[in-house]
Amino acid sequence: MVEVTVTPQSSLADRPVQIRVQGLSPSQLVTLRAWLKDEQGECFQSRAFFRADEAGEVDPGLHAALGGSYSGVWPMGLLWFLQPDTLFRRLVKRDVAGSPFRVRLEVLDGLSLGTDPREQPLASCEAERWYVGPGVQRVPIREGRVRGALFLPP
């Protein structure tokens, strides 16, 4: 049974995570796809092609991506190379304290280039990427023409 995991499942957006796929056949070609919808409903996604090792595992921190959104060894590549489906959109988190970005990670059999919603992943999981840690207080700043926010640790 194929399984994809993200460790830790919930983390701050600037912290590294480990992505692992287990249960594949040795040397199996797979596509790892990451996608999320921002607060306006815009979809951002990335994908990378991998060949499983002799144990049937893929770890983007150890194994080089053969192509897709990037190539080579990039442990966080699936998160760093997220691109909008609509040109000229930017991935911006507006409500930094209220909710995380929920990134969906999927493992697809073979080399998958399409975005066919009927395409069934072999495995999937979800990771939360928070922009403000627990207990951090956000204080709005308005002084003259200056606007901003002060984030105070607990």
Side-chain angles (χ1 to χ4, degrees):
M1 182 167 137
V2 178
E3 179 183 30
V4 60
T5 57
V6 177
T7 309
Q9 185 268 333
S10 182
S11 64
L12 291 174
D14 63 348
R15 299 287 190 244
V17 295
Q18 181 184 30
I19 300 168
R20 281 188 76 189
V21 181
Q22 297 174 302
L24 299 167
S25 301
S27 299
Q28 181 177 353
L29 283 172
V30 294
T31 300
L32 268 61
R33 179 172 60 192
W35 64 272
L36 64 83
K37 287 198 177 190
D38 70 4
E39 293 151 330
Q40 283 75 43
E42 187 65 41
C43 188
F44 291 77
Q45 64 178 317
S46 65
R47 68 185 66 237
F49 312 129
F50 291 92
R51 183 177 299 280
D53 64 14
E54 54 279 347
E57 296 183 0
V58 169
D59 181 342
L62 300 174
H63 304 113
L66 306 173
S69 301
Y70 67 96
S71 60
V73 178
W74 292 79
M76 300 284 293
L78 288 167
L79 301 176
W80 289 341
F81 290 97
L82 288 166
Q83 294 294 315
D85 284 354
T86 305
L87 291 177
F88 308 114
R89 300 287 186 174
R90 289 184 5 170
L91 184 58
V92 176
K93 184 73 171 132
R94 304 239 184 260
D95 180 18
V96 294
S99 64
F101 271 141
R102 291 183 185 352
V103 182
R104 185 93 175 148
L105 292 152
E106 299 173 337
V107 181
L108 304 164
D109 191 26
L111 304 179
S112 172
L113 296 172
T115 57
D116 186 356
R118 297 171 304 198
E119 198 170 27
Q120 290 298 318
L122 299 173
S124 63
C125 71
E126 191 172 272
E128 292 181 348
R129 303 293 283 171
W130 289 89
Y131 282 77
V132 175
V136 172
Q137 180 184 4
R138 181 181 188 272
V139 179
I141 304 295
R142 294 177 197 257
E143 185 67 38
R145 295 185 342 191
V146 175
R147 301 288 184 264
L150 172 64
F151 292 88
L152 298 171

